[in-house]
Each structure stands twice: as structure tokens, then as C-alpha cells.
Amino acid sequence: MMTRQEAEIRLQNTFQLPHFYDEQWLTIEKILDGERVLLIEKTGFGKSLCFQFPATVFEGTTVIFSPLIALMRDQVKKLQSLGIAAKCINSEQSPEENTQIIDEAQQRKIKILYIAPERQENSEWIEATRQMNLSMVVVDEAHCISVWGHDFRPAFKRIINLVKLLPKGLPVLATTATATQRVEQDIAGQIGNGITVIRGNLMRDNFKLFVIKVKSEDEKLIWLGKNLEKVAEKLGGSGLLYTGTRVDTEIYSKWFNSLHISSTAYNAGLDADSRVAIEDGLMQNKWKCIISTNALGMGIDKPDIRFIIHTQIPQSPVHYYQEIGRAGRDGKTSYIILFYNLDKDRELPEAFIEGSKPSIKKYRKVLDVIRSGLFGERQIINQTNLKQTQFRVIKSDLMEQGIIREVLYGNHKLYEFIPDSQPLSTKTFEELRDAKLKDLDKMIEYVETTGSRMKFLCDYLGDNSDHDFTNCDNTGEKKIRVIVTPEWTDRLQDFRENYFPELAVESVGSNIVNGVAASYYGVSNVGDAIHRSKYEGGGDFPDFLLKLTLRAFRKKFGDEPFDLILYVPPTKSGDLVKNFAEKLSQILKIPISHDLQKTRETQEQKIFESVISKKDNVRDAFSCANPDGIAGKNILLFDDICDSSATIKEAGKFLTGLGAGKIAPLVIAKTVGGDLV
């Protein structure tokens, strides 16, 4: 058995670090002795060293299950720079590259292998693990294996199947920064085999915690416009601004850009190259602020993030603690600011909770469909009108309860009801939904507390250490209030009248180009005006929408020539779209055609929850009365509202087939819905 002194000599030679923290060494000592450990420590503590160091001591390969591709990339790069044979397998690499890495692991050429938990569903990987010389298994972000955790993922549960097959004496380490007592007990129970739990101190004295109560989204934008650069300059660094949705990342980024505040937007909808470029830029302090959903941050090992601001309350204090834990890892002062709008800010986290654990009614919908025959995922989604993510949660739960099973017909996965299976047990689901809603109540409690905010978070997470905190706006720091002046109201109004959302619709095999919307449906009076005309008998769309749409057109397309205006035949709005398109034609002096028609009746896209259902609703739904008039023409394609872009993309594909040249979409409003992260 290696002594601490011997280990620290090796630590200096391999990792260029002088010594271990006491809890790091305690963990490593148990791992080297072949034990199972659950390590709960604050972000920035150095949990990764607790498995990376023993991995270099063991002869075989250490496999680390991690849901974080950014972390994989970052840690593999660092390990390789230290001369340690490390690789990762993930969905952003080609199948050939992943297969090559598996081969290298089987040949014992890799010391540390990071892998996404979803690989537990991959037959190539399952077979490969039988031929590897495993020396240790690590479950990073271990709260994901617990249904009571804040980021439960069904694929993580399958890791436990592997863990149960491991021989006694092969070490297992589970790590997390965020585990309540209930989650701790669940993780420990699943990994089992005499597991040792090591729980550290979660307090962060270097944080300055503030809550800013606002009455509107405008107040958030105005305060940040006035103060963001001041915060960055005062603290001497850059930071993260977390928003609730992808759309919000775009809005805040464009707002900051209009004020010449150095920033960029990040979300899960970006392509892999763009995400990597922004992650690298973050490390190099390229911007004062990165505006992101919670898709960014986990696994980014940057010690000097000086501020983290949330424009939307997270679902629970656990989510919040994890996200703010990315700041100030170097121990220097960092500002932690949370905006809260009493009237609106509960809606989004409630939607997340609904999405993460659908209602029992939706479980029964899926069961009714599967009972009636063999169907694949797409068919079930269409028949139940569920989002794909919701269906996959339900499918996983029903399979785990032994109510349905997956069967292969050729290359197709179908789902089959298992006769004589036990009835659906709803007890755990109901308990879980109740627990998540109570967590949200606790997040509201954090906003409203008059005591120490740091103590509130530590107590919630099970760290009941006796400590006097004086680092928040309730315990010594000055309260922050929003002061709205006419100057800033005018600035925001000017921004809204000159900011036009892009319609990202370009696709392979279509001549459609990215278009433009005059506004977002839900963030101004545009949505109200459209609703009055469409559903309340308000007559033609008002002239201010025409002026705004023309400004959007001119800003996006300038003096580009168009031969023809076509409009999408409406489902419900009568002549509203046609009349508006005719006004555009008169002003822009572009001829209008009424030849684009529908071959069948479609439904309003807003009634469908899944993108799959939206696409199927309009698939092959268009025809043209005069197809010869389309060939070679550059077309401006108008519609009133763009939801998922499925309708516009389908129309673009149809017109491309008729020989159209460029097809440029123009709409009055783009909906705010869609993907959240």
C-alpha cells in the first residue's frame, strides 16, 4: 500500500501538484485499497484528481462515465499534456473514431477512458468491456443515477448493471457536488457493497450573493444594460449569464451587442464546432460575458469566473448551487446574482418539471397505444402528441417496471406490451413530482429568506456546519434595486424595434435560405396584436406590424432582388395572411402569386408538442396551381407566425422541387417555444 508521502512524490512528478487535501487523500487511500466510495464535495474541490491519480497507479484502464462532453474534452486535453494516455468516446466524434478508441482500450493502450453513459445501450461497447482490463469504474455527476437527483438520466441507471457485475475488490468511485441526504442514500444503496460516503464542506465564503426582485423582463434587461460592465470591471474578469431558454440567450446577446458590451450566446442548439470555439473563448476571457442556458458550465475548469447571474430561477436550490459553483474556484471574490419576477418566473421551472417527469395521464396515453399493437417511437409520438423527451422518459420507466419491452424487426425498434405484467405503479412518480415541486418551493424560499443565503443553501444540501456567513444582501451586503429611467426605457424600445430574430431554416437539398421575423411572439405587443386579428375578430393585421415586417425585410435582405411573393396558405386565419402579403407586394413592388395551395387540410402547428408531429402534419401538404411560374424565380415566402419552422421548411422543399431559385422566408413573429437548453 502506497503511503501519502510516496503518493505526493508521484503527484508532483506526474501532475505537477504539491500535495493532496486531506479528504482527497482519504478518498484515494480507500480507492487504492479496492473500496467503493461516494465523494460529495463542492465544485472546484478537485474531485477529478481522486480518480485520475489512482488511475495512473493501477495497471489497467479506468473508465469514467460522464454526461459532460465539454468536461471530457477539457480533461482529456489536460491529461494528454501531462503524458497520460487518455481518450474519450462521445456522440460528437465519428463512429469510426469511437470504434478506434475502443480497440485501443482493448489493447490496453489507454489508461483513462471517458465515456458517455448512453453507451451502456450500445452493443459494441458492452461487448468491449468484457475484453478490457478494467482497474476502476468512476461515476461522475453521480446524482444522475438517482431519480431524486436534480438531473436524473435513465441511461445512468444502466451503469449500475455494470457495477453489479464487477468483482469484489475492484474499486468504484462516485462523485458529485450536489446531493441531498435522500440522494446520498439512494446512490449509496445502488452502488452498495459496503460503500463509504465522504461528505465535505460545501460553503463558499468568497461568494457575494444577491437577489434582485423585478416586476418585468424589461427591468432585468435594463439593470444588466446599465451594470454588467461595471460588475466585470470591479471584479476584474468575465462571467456567465444564465437564461431560461435558447431564445433568451439570443435576446440578451443582441441587447448587449447593441450596447457594445462584449458577449456571445451559447446553447445546446449550436453545432459542435461553435460550442468548442465558445468554450475555448471562455477560457481565454475573449468576452466579458457568455449568455447561456445551463448547457454551458459543467466540466469547464476555469478558476477565475468572476460573476454568475441568473435571469430565471432554477428548479431547485440544488440546481442553483451547482450552477453558481462554477464561479470563483480560485477563492477570490465572485458576485452571484439572481433575478426574480414574482408574477412570471415560476412558470418555466414548472414546465421543466413537467417535461422531466410527465403526468400519469401521459403514461396511460402511451400504454393505450402500445396495448393496441406494435409501434415505433415516431408512431407513438404522433398518436399521443408527446414531446420526444417525454416519450423517452415514459418508455424507460415502463420498460423498467416490466410493462413493455423493446423488440427488433429488421433495423426498427418497436415497443410491445407484456401480457400479464403488473399494473403501472404511480406511487414513485407522484412522490417524485411532489418532491420536485417542493424543491421549487424551496427555491422561492431562498429568494424570500431574510437570513443568510449561503447558510440556506448549505443546510438544504445537508452541510449543517456551524458557520456565521456575512456574504449576502441579508447579512451585510447592500441590497440591489432596479431604477428605470426614461433614457433606458427608450433605449430598450429602440432595441426592440430594430432587433429581428433570424429564422434558421437552411437545409440540405433545399434552396431555402435563412429568413427573418419582425419580432418574437411572446416578448412584445406583437403577439397580442396577431392574436386579436386571428382569434378575436380584430380585422386585418394592424399597420404597425406591416411597418415592423418591412423593416425586418430591409435589414435582412436589403436590396436583394426577388421575382415573386408567395404566402403560406393559412389553416385558420382566413384572408389575413393573403391581405398582408398583398400589402407587402404593393410596397416592395414585387409581384404576388396566389398559386401556393394545400393538397389537404392541416391542423394548427401550435397544437402539437413534438417536432416530429409538426413535420408529419405538413408533410407533402403543398401544391401549386401554376408550377411553370416557379422555375428559376427568387421567391419571398411569407407567413404570419413561425413555430417550429416545419411548415416553412416543407414549403421550401416543395418549391425547390419545382425549380425555384432562392427561397427567403419572412414572417411577422417567431414563437418563443421549442428547445429550452
Side-chain angles (χ1 to χ4, degrees), residues 122-223:
N122 180 284
S123 57
E124 180 189 23
W125 164 253
I126 294 167
E127 180 59 32
T129 55
R130 296 191 178 102
Q131 300 173 39
M132 284 183 195
N133 179 27
L134 286 180
S135 58
M136 173 169 53
V137 170
V138 179
V139 186
D140 202 15
E141 306 297 336
H143 51 270
C144 295
I145 70 172
S146 172
V147 293
W148 305 105
H150 70 282
D151 192 21
F152 169 64
R153 302 189 185 197
F156 258 78
K157 292 277 283 186
R158 296 184 185 93
I159 298 171
I160 298 303
N161 298 335
L162 172 63
V163 168
K164 287 176 178 175
L165 296 174
L166 297 175
K168 189 174 181 181
L170 195 145
V172 176
L173 174 63
T175 70
T176 178
T178 47
T180 61
Q181 296 289 349
R182 186 174 199 171
V183 172
E184 173 191 318
Q185 291 165 13
D186 190 17
I187 297 170
Q190 288 189 62
I191 293 176
N193 223 359
I195 191 169
T196 299
V197 178
I198 299 174
R199 181 183 275 276
N201 190 315
L202 300 179
M203 66 182 181
R204 300 288 293 272
D205 282 336
N206 61 318
F207 283 0
K208 304 289 185 186
L209 296 133
F210 302 89
V211 170
I212 304 177
K213 294 183 180 179
V214 297
K215 297 174 184 174
S216 67
E217 293 302 298
D218 286 3
E219 289 192 359
K220 297 176 186 178
L221 287 159
I222 287 171
W223 189 90

Side-chain angles (χ1 to χ4, degrees), residues 325-338:
R326 296 156 194 170
R329 295 185 182 188
D330 56 6
K332 294 181 182 178
T333 298
S334 300
Y335 275 28
I336 309 298
I337 297 171
L338 172 64

Side-chain angles (χ1 to χ4, degrees), residues 10 117 131 133 149 160 181 208 229 240 244 251 288-289 323 327 344 374 382 434 468 535 564 578 602-603:
R10 185 173 183 131
Q131 300 173 39
N133 179 27
I160 298 303
Q181 296 289 349
K208 304 289 185 186
E229 282 196 310
L240 305 178
I251 292 172
K288 287 288 183 191
C289 179
E323 287 162 20
K344 297 288 288 182
L374 277 172
N382 277 336
D434 288 346
D468 291 326
Y535 304 108
L564 203 60
K578 169 179 169 287
T602 59
Q603 300 184 66

Side-chain angles (χ1 to χ4, degrees), residues 536-592:
E536 298 173 18
D540 278 353
F541 294 130
D543 285 346
F544 88 89
L545 293 182
L546 181 63
K547 291 175 184 175
L548 198 61
T549 304
L550 287 165
R551 284 166 65 178
F553 168 80
R554 288 172 178 137
K555 184 167 184 178
K556 174 70 176 176
F557 297 112
D559 296 323
E560 290 183 39
F562 288 93
D563 303 308
L564 203 60
I565 290 179
L566 291 175
Y567 56 90
V568 176
T571 304
K572 257 198 170 176
S573 54
D575 289 335
L576 288 174
V577 173
K578 169 179 169 287
N579 294 345
F580 198 94
E582 287 177 339
K583 291 175 184 177
L584 289 172
S585 171
Q586 290 166 10
I587 295 168
L588 295 173
K589 305 288 192 275
I590 302 171
I592 187 169

Side-chain angles (χ1 to χ4, degrees), residues 465-479:
S465 54
D466 189 18
H467 184 84
D468 291 326
F469 295 95
T470 57
N471 61 338
C472 76
D473 53 3
N474 289 331
T475 59
E477 297 296 325
K478 189 177 178 181
K479 293 277 186 186

